[in-house]
Amino acid sequence: MTRPIFAVIDSVALKHNYWKAKSIAPKSRIWAVVKANAYGHGIETVARTLYDADGFALLEIEQAIKLRRLGFKQPIMLLEGVFSPAELEVAAQYGLTVVIYTHQHIEWLQQAKLTKPLSIGLKLNTGMNRLGFPAELVHGLVRHLESCPYVADVMLMTHFANADEGKNGINWQYQRFCKATRGLNLPVCMANSASLIAYPDTRQDWVRPGLMLYGASPFPNMTAVQLGLQPVMSLVSRIIAIQLLNAGDGVGYGTTFLAPQAMRIGVVACGYADGYPRHAPTGTPVWVAGQRSQLVGRVSMDMATIDLSHIPQADLGSEVELWGRHISIDEVAISAETVSYELMCAISERVPIRETTLSACAF
Ligand SMILES: *Cc1c(COP(=O)(O)O)cnc(C)c1O
């Protein structure tokens, strides 16, 4: 038998979340963001499930080509653009949409001789100061692009720094975008998950949700359940050993946990080399044998230890959910002082991805 850890992907939940995004932004087309191996969920599994998505957005050109070879015909956007002039030709051949955000990109476009014209996402910086041209340059840039023989069409884009932070999180950036782009009649794409949910004005021609598709909440003060989202990934494993502790016995590296009384401890085949956060402290919730319990002691590379004292039915082989249907990934993220994005992306290659359409059991 193989090591009993799996990332179980619920494709029904994934579809549900996609349609939830659609129902919130019914007039927008959706770039389903599948970067970072679909936030750790497996890009092939996710793309096959969302086969009718309006478009896919990701980073690596190799992954985009893979989707084309699998037969996906919808627009595919390279969110970080291309990294050399030669890649422009590859992007054109495969019909990819390329985000541009530096003058160097424009030079490459002007000098390129492409077999087909390219679709361009023109990224405007409205205050996040990461990628994008100063928004105020947009009119000149568009004129420039429209005179390039190999530009098929242009979509205007920006990205918000604080869409997850309540009332006025995006207004200043949104105003700057609107002011700068006034008079241009081009499709617009600005919303990530948080913005799509919280700011109706940002549901433009296109939206680009990632996190919400995977069933986690982009907001610190709202749960995925409250947002009507369903968890897509369950990280599950099994108990591979049991230890009986006396009061005063320690568990794991550093002996950071000392048993206050006699305890029964389960050793789970899941550690930080699987992507489970090493910083998850004692008390981080887990689900075992149909009940909630918690981590005790430090997470090590290949194992974690959990309290079974109050769960007599838990035994060798009992299933453990580290996050998923019963324990929300957001809750684990808060406990480990990170965000669910990071937990999802950290799932390592040694964790096999399994697809399920069953809603009752994890395996
Ligand atoms: C990752 C990413 C998104 C998706 O963000 P979520 O918060 O996961 O919805 C959208 N736009 C850009 C530019 C991104 O890099």
Side-chain angles (χ1 to χ4, degrees):
M1 196 179 152
T2 50
R3 191 159 170 267
I5 184 166
F6 298 99
V8 181
I9 304 303
D10 180 343
S11 44
V12 174
L14 180 59
K15 267 189 203 291
H16 166 89
N17 297 335
Y18 179 85
W19 289 104
K20 182 79 201 172
K22 266 277 180 215
S23 75
I24 296 173
K27 297 197 181 115
S28 305
R29 285 197 279 170
I30 293 183
W31 295 104
V33 179
V34 294
K35 63 188 178 187
N37 196 27
Y39 291 47
H41 292 61
I43 189 168
E44 211 175 313
T45 303
V46 168
R48 284 191 200 282
T49 302
L50 300 182
Y51 64 92
D52 54 354
D54 301 315
F56 292 111
L58 42 63
L59 272 75
E60 302 89 350
I61 201 165
E62 295 80 8
Q63 296 290 319
I65 292 170
K66 180 166 142 181
L67 290 184
R68 282 281 179 258
R69 292 198 171 139
L70 287 168
F72 293 97
K73 302 272 195 293
Q74 55 268 74
I76 299 178
M77 173 162 58
L78 300 176
L79 284 169
E80 232 169 57
V82 294
F83 304 97
S84 70
E87 281 186 344
L88 279 180
E89 173 55 25
V90 180
Q93 276 169 17
Y94 285 93
L96 308 178
T97 301
V98 176
V99 173
I100 63 166
Y101 49 86
T102 67
H103 288 288
Q104 191 179 43
H105 286 145
I106 301 211
E107 280 164 32
W108 291 350
L109 266 175
Q110 284 171 331
Q111 287 158 14
K113 300 241 177 323
L114 306 177
T115 42
K116 285 183 224 161
L118 267 175
S119 293
I120 298 295
L122 177 58
K123 185 78 167 267
L124 301 176
N125 176 22
T126 51
M128 177 138 179
N129 292 316
R130 202 176 55 175
L131 297 184
F133 298 95
E136 292 66 31
L137 300 183
V138 66
H139 285 267
L141 291 165
V142 167
R143 249 178 280 129
H144 238 65
L145 288 172
E146 285 176 345
S147 71
C148 283
Y150 296 106
V151 171
D153 45 70
V154 178
M155 175 179 73
L156 303 177
M157 300 174 69
T158 196
H159 195 57
F160 299 121
N162 305 315
D164 53 347
E165 282 176 13
K167 278 216 171 314
N168 297 314
I170 64 146
N171 288 352
W172 56 291
Q173 285 192 271
Y174 182 78
Q175 297 305 335
R176 186 172 165 195
F177 183 92
C178 292
K179 190 163 171 230
T181 60
R182 195 164 295 149
L184 289 170
N185 187 23
L186 292 171
V188 168
C189 175
M190 41 172 56
N192 62 0
S193 299
S195 178
L196 186 171
I197 295 169
Y199 300 99
D201 289 348
T202 68
R203 299 167 197 153
Q204 300 265 346
D205 304 85
W206 285 88
V207 291
R208 31 173 220 277
L211 191 73
M212 70 180 294
L213 301 179
Y214 306 102
S217 170
F219 306 107
N221 56 353
M222 275 234 252
T223 66
V225 172
Q226 287 171 327
L227 296 170
L229 301 171
Q230 297 177 2
V232 174
M233 179 197 292
S234 293
L235 180 62
V236 296
S237 186
R238 292 188 186 274
I239 292 177
I240 58 169
I242 303 255
Q243 298 291 345
L244 300 176
L245 306 188
N246 294 314
D249 288 350
V251 187
Y253 286 118
T255 320
T256 59
F257 178 82
L258 292 175
Q261 69 276 315
M263 285 180 83
R264 188 163 169 265
I265 298 292
V267 181
V268 187
C270 175
Y272 60 79
D274 299 298
Y276 192 83
R278 183 176 173 279
H279 288 105
T282 292
T284 301
V286 297
W287 183 261
V288 53
Q291 243 173 281
R292 247 177 112 92
S293 186
Q294 54 172 42
L295 286 188
V296 289
R298 260 190 208 155
V299 174
S300 52
M301 187 183 281
D302 311 310
M303 283 166 266
T305 35
I306 64 176
D307 185 10
L308 301 181
S309 304
H310 60 298
I311 314 179
Q313 75 274 23
D315 209 341
L316 281 182
S318 289
E319 191 179 307
V320 178
E321 179 190 292
L322 286 312
W323 61 68
R325 220 168 256 136
H326 305 283
I327 304 288
S328 91
I329 191 168
D330 295 321
E331 204 184 334
V332 177
I334 289 165
S335 181
E337 294 182 1
T338 181
V339 287
S340 45
Y341 295 87
E342 191 181 16
L343 298 186
M344 289 176 181
C345 298
I347 290 295
S348 68
E349 264 188 75
R350 79 179 194 188
V351 178
I353 292 172
R354 280 205 179 170
E355 203 180 336
T356 178
T357 52
L358 300 177
S359 52
C361 66
F363 280 95

